[in-house]
Amino acid sequence: MTQRGEATGTAEASPREVAVGAPMGHRARMSTAARTSEAPGATTAGRTPAGGATWTVAHLPVLVPTLLTAALTAWRYDAKPLWRDEIYTLTTAGRPLGEMAGLLVDRDAGLSVYYLLVHGWLLVSHDTAWLRLPSALAAVAAVALAAALGRRVGGDAVALLAGTTVALSQALVTHAQEARPYPLVLATVTVVALLALRQAEDPRRGRGAVLGGAGVLAVGLHPLVALPAVAAVLGALWLRPGRARRRDVTVIALPAAVLGASLVLVGSLQAAADPPARMPLWKLSTFWRLVADVPAPGVVLGLLAVAGALRLARRRETLVLVAWAVLPVAAVSVLGLLGGYFNYRYATAAVPALAVLAAAGAVAVTGAALARAGWGQRGRARAIAVAALALVLVAALGPGAIADRRAAYYFDDGPGAAAQLADQALPGDAVVFVGSVSRPLVERHLPAGELGPGRLEDALLDAGDDHADTRGGDDVPAAQRRRALAGHPRVWVVGTMAVATDDLYRPSPTARAAAAGRAMVSRTDHGHVRVELWAAPGR
């Protein structure tokens, strides 16, 4: 894609100007063709330069982080059991369409597009590895796209560092191996950004249609995550349309805006029936966890992103990247302050923009240091500096990624809870499940025949069909639960803890029914799955 000086009011730069330490402001613009054919180590497809580099070598800045992501995603790919959100994906999208629609009328309607796509995917298999595959593939694509965006903005060095940052970011590492929409959103939002920048240079009706469709898909996958990012990118394009017309940009953005606003409105109305607990103000400072499992790398990358934004000032890419990095964080913060569902990972879509800006900042800072040392024009010194920066990234973010992969579970230890029940439950005990996913989360790991009369009775399971939220049957109505448990001196309560309040949903009618006339004998937490035993006096 060619950067046109007449479209941006800037002149093309020489290859030297985009090297480490070279100016990266509004005069440091060059075409992709010039960058790939003239920059050190680069080549065009199908042609080997004098240095003997192949096409593959020329694209190593994109290939290296992409292959790193593929390897890290494949390692222990299905070693962790499904956690509560994945179980919800499975038990929602795995229903017949009519039942799924009926469930979405009551809850989680905002993710209807995602569940519809997964429903088609699950027609092949419900296996854990298959369920997670869309996210795994999207994670690899997201890193390749982020590296390509970095290459467009600042050349090979920025491509390598941006791609590596996204590949090792906590947000991508965690979600690449789970059946949730975050990696898909990352990939589609990055596609929106690349297409928007290209549309500003060379507006075409077909590309505009694809851009609008990508925005709709991103927002449909997860409106809370994608809508601020898509709005930021297309809003920046509207403010600086280049050769495109603002009227056309408005038409492109309108479908995504309408869909996103509709999904957010419906989801908000559903949430009003069961409002979340207000999050403490200090949790608004947890966005560094998108990048790393400890604050320092996230803070450093944030500072480098500011440096990158200043270095790339006055360029259209900078407006897009800054808006894209800031608006998701701002939107989630406002949501939390208003008492909505605050979770720092709802800002995941900002990670590619943050990574590209931080990479540009790191390249600029390093280049300035090399220039002061008198090495600014030495190609080998620049290459060594970039490689060193990449190694620093790996050293800073790699341990967290490895620890995530080695963990036995993420958040919910369903197998541990099932093992406790199988080992400690006595014949005639009852078990009740708190939370809409607790039963399938734990039951899938119990030995065959463990649940049933005479062994461990699922006392509130009223029917054997699949219509209820529990995906195991219709629970006894709340007013009748104490009576249903009356014949069981010992009752096991199994539930997924509410993160905000650290209890079994403050507490639920099921937990209150189990506690009536009984005392707690034991409480064990398996990750965020809690197993309690309540027994009548003398039992």
Side-chain angles (χ1 to χ4, degrees):
M1 56 186 73
T2 304
Q3 290 289 117
R4 290 180 169 81
E6 62 270 28
T8 60
T10 59
E12 290 188 350
S14 67
R16 180 169 294 176
E17 287 182 298
V18 295
V20 175
M24 298 181 67
H26 70 287
R27 292 189 178 276
R29 307 296 300 275
M30 65 180 294
S31 68
T32 302
R35 188 160 57 235
T36 56
S37 62
E38 298 178 28
T43 182
T44 55
R47 179 163 60 88
T48 302
T54 64
W55 182 92
T56 301
V57 171
H59 289 79
L60 278 178
V62 174
L63 288 174
V64 167
T66 302
L67 293 175
L68 173 63
T69 306
L72 195 57
T73 302
W75 181 35
R76 292 175 53 83
Y77 171 62
D78 57 353
K80 294 187 184 71
L82 297 176
W83 72 291
R84 68 183 71 177
D85 281 12
E86 293 181 284
I87 288 289
Y88 196 82
T89 297
L90 178 62
T91 58
T92 300
R95 299 168 184 256
L97 278 175
E99 290 184 18
M100 183 176 74
L103 176 61
L104 292 174
V105 167
D106 295 324
R107 63 170 65 188
D108 223 14
L111 270 65
S112 298
V113 174
Y114 172 68
Y115 291 131
L116 184 62
L117 293 174
V118 176
H119 175 83
W121 185 260
L122 290 177
L123 294 177
V124 177
S125 172
H126 284 205
D127 183 75
T128 298
W130 180 256
L131 177 66
R132 289 173 169 169
L133 188 57
S135 292
L137 296 175
V140 177
V143 170
L145 290 164
L149 179 62
R151 193 173 199 177
R152 185 194 195 285
V153 170
D156 289 346
V158 175
L160 176 63
L161 297 177
T164 303
T165 300
V166 177
L168 295 176
S169 66
Q170 197 68 32
L172 191 86
V173 170
T174 297
H175 299 308
Q177 290 187 346
E178 69 170 25
R180 295 301 284 172
Y182 300 100
L184 294 148
V185 171
L186 278 181
T188 50
V189 168
T190 310
V191 167
V192 169
L194 286 166
L195 289 174
L197 292 172
R198 185 65 175 131
Q199 187 73 358
E201 299 167 352
D202 182 20
R204 296 187 181 183
R205 184 173 300 176
R207 185 186 295 115
V210 175
L211 172 57
V216 168
L217 177 59
V219 169
L221 287 168
H222 199 310
L224 286 180
V225 176
L227 184 57
V230 172
V233 172
L234 296 181
L237 177 62
W238 191 90
L239 289 173
R240 295 193 64 181
R243 290 185 171 181
R245 294 185 297 181
R246 284 195 171 96
R247 182 182 64 185
D248 294 337
V249 175
T250 301
V251 172
I252 289 170
L254 191 59
V258 171
L259 176 63
S262 301
L263 292 176
V264 169
L265 176 61
V266 172
S268 299
L269 293 175
Q270 290 179 336
D274 184 21
R278 185 176 294 274
M279 286 292 177
L281 186 61
W282 66 266
K283 285 209 170 188
L284 295 179
S285 65
T286 58
F287 290 105
W288 53 264
R289 296 183 66 184
L290 293 170
V291 176
D293 59 348
V294 292
V299 173
V300 171
L301 283 171
L303 294 174
L304 287 174
V306 173
L310 294 174
R311 191 62 172 171
L312 297 172
R314 303 179 189 174
R315 293 177 55 175
R316 179 180 298 105
E317 290 94 334
T318 309
L319 180 60
V320 170
L321 290 170
V322 171
W324 178 8
V326 170
L327 194 55
V329 174
V332 175
S333 299
V334 170
L335 187 67
L337 290 173
L338 294 177
Y341 283 96
F342 174 83
N343 194 315
Y344 69 87
R345 64 178 177 168
Y346 289 164
T348 295
V351 169
L354 175 66
V356 172
L357 287 172
V363 167
V365 170
T366 304
L370 289 176
R372 283 195 296 270
W375 294 343
Q377 304 303 319
R378 299 182 184 181
R380 179 170 295 181
R382 294 196 301 270
I384 291 173
V386 172
L389 287 172
L391 290 176
V392 169
L393 268 176
V394 172
L397 303 180
I402 292 172
D404 186 280
R405 288 292 178 263
R406 286 180 171 171
Y409 57 88
Y410 174 68
F411 214 63
D412 299 321
D413 182 14
Q420 181 184 358
L421 290 175
D423 182 58
Q424 299 179 10
L426 301 177
D429 285 0
V431 61
V432 295
F433 294 95
V434 178
S436 63
V437 297
S438 297
R439 179 178 285 123
L441 178 68
V442 174
E443 185 180 20
R444 65 192 290 114
H445 302 291
L446 286 170
E450 186 69 23
L451 290 180
R455 178 51 182 157
L456 182 59
E457 184 176 346
D458 193 349
L460 301 185
L461 187 64
D462 188 43
D465 54 58
D466 293 333
H467 295 290
D469 288 352
T470 55
R471 190 55 179 176
D474 294 321
D475 284 347
V476 171
Q480 302 175 22
R481 292 177 189 177
R482 183 179 299 188
R483 185 187 312 165
L485 295 173
H488 300 278
R490 288 170 33 115
V491 178
W492 295 89
V493 180
V494 181
T496 51
M497 288 187 291
V499 179
T501 55
D502 194 34
D503 61 26
L504 298 180
Y505 290 101
R506 297 175 276 182
S508 75
T510 296
R512 289 198 297 268
R518 303 176 184 85
M520 182 185 294
V521 176
S522 66
R523 169 185 287 178
T524 307
D525 291 339
H526 301 272
H528 279 70
V529 180
R530 177 164 290 174
V531 178
E532 298 176 349
L533 174 60
W534 292 78
R539 304 301 295 266

